[in-house]
Amino acid sequence: MSTDQPRPGSGGEPPEDDPFLKRPQEPPAGGSPYGGRPAEGSPYDRPANATPYGEQPPGGDRYGGGPPPGSGPPPGGTPPPPYGGDPYGGDPYGGNPYGDQYGAADPLAGMPPLANRGRRLVARIIDWIIVCVPVGLIMSAIVGGFDYWSTDSTQTGRQAWVSGVTMLAYLVYEGLMLTSRGQTVGKMVMKIRVGMLEDGAVPAGQAGWVRAVVYTLPEIVPCCGFIFWLVNILWCTWDKPYQQCLHDKAAKTVVVSAA
């Protein structure tokens, strides 16, 4: 048995520089108690959002939360619109304000029936008698009368003055009546009215004035104005389905029954 004694002042403990002293083992750099970095593909070395078969593909959940791997937008970069809409951003109902995705059998569903063409013509005649005849007679008296069939420059000038003032009076009359109530006196007598094609409302503001201007002012133009006026009023005889004249199309209006 060894008789060696501890060195004085050591307190019975081996010195720190003792080469046989067993020092505590330091943890590995990777933090694993088994030492070293886990092998590649270890279940402890996958990202938190990894699947059992590999890392999570970007863009969605493996179980349906996003597009499958390798998928992309359809050709053109824009997905098709739902429910058969127009892929070019247009009106899916073909511009019909009363249509729907199933198609409307009646283009004026919810509106009164379209006015009879004969009643529309009689209404115009009544308005012409109310406005144009009195104004024409007054202007003829002011200019000293004129011969409608004469080609003399003086007579032609007088005729232009009378026609211009008469048409201007009719324009103001129709514009004010349409924008205020959708009816002229003639239309009230014939129980018809003008409404917006979109919703049947009174054509207040710009729409009423556009309608009056397109109907009235072209008549002032010699020769060509009369041809346009004639085509304009006859347009409703073949127009489908709204039976519009050209001034209706310009103002987006329609003539319907008021009773």
Side-chain angles (χ1 to χ4, degrees):
M1 182 171 61
S2 172
T3 59
D4 292 341
Q5 299 294 327
R7 286 176 294 181
S10 63
E13 297 179 359
E16 294 182 357
D17 56 350
D18 187 346
F20 301 101
L21 178 66
K22 184 177 180 179
R23 293 177 172 79
Q25 183 179 4
E26 296 181 0
S32 172
Y34 306 103
R37 181 174 178 83
E40 186 69 19
S42 169
Y44 304 103
D45 194 31
R46 295 192 182 112
N49 62 343
T51 67
Y53 306 100
E55 294 188 359
Q56 168 67 25
D61 183 6
R62 185 171 66 88
Y63 299 101
S71 65
T78 304
Y83 313 117
D86 187 351
Y88 301 101
D91 185 358
Y93 307 145
N96 181 3
Y98 303 101
D100 52 26
Q101 64 268 34
Y102 305 106
D106 182 4
L108 295 175
M111 292 271 286
L114 293 172
N116 180 273
R117 297 181 183 92
R119 292 164 68 183
R120 295 174 64 173
L121 177 60
V122 174
R124 283 292 183 187
I125 294 174
I126 294 173
D127 291 330
W128 185 82
I129 294 174
I130 291 174
V131 178
C132 297
V133 171
V135 174
L137 292 175
I138 293 173
M139 286 302 302
S140 179
I142 292 175
V143 301
F146 66 93
D147 183 3
Y148 184 83
W149 303 104
S150 175
T151 57
D152 180 72
S153 59
T154 302
Q155 295 296 321
T156 304
R158 291 178 180 179
Q159 178 186 343
W161 270 104
V162 174
S163 298
V165 174
T166 302
M167 292 299 100
L168 181 61
Y170 191 91
L171 168 63
V172 174
Y173 160 78
E174 177 152 337
L176 291 176
M177 295 294 289
L178 291 182
T179 55
S180 61
R181 58 179 301 155
Q183 291 177 298
T184 59
V185 174
K187 288 179 173 59
M188 285 187 278
V189 173
M190 299 309 299
K191 296 182 179 181
I192 61 177
R193 68 178 180 86
V194 177
M196 297 301 298
L197 178 61
E198 181 180 5
D199 54 11
V202 171
Q206 181 178 350
W209 286 105
V210 167
R211 192 179 192 275
V213 166
V214 175
Y215 175 81
T216 306
L217 289 189
E219 299 179 50
I220 301 177
V221 181
C223 186
C224 296
F226 175 77
I227 295 176
F228 176 84
W229 175 84
L230 185 61
V231 172
N232 180 16
I233 62 174
L234 292 176
W235 199 272
C236 65
T237 61
W238 59 74
D239 182 73
K240 299 295 181 181
Y242 304 116
Q243 299 180 9
Q244 293 172 297
C245 293
L246 295 180
H247 52 267
D248 287 311
K249 291 186 177 297
K252 298 180 180 179
T253 57
V254 66
V255 183
V256 296
S257 176

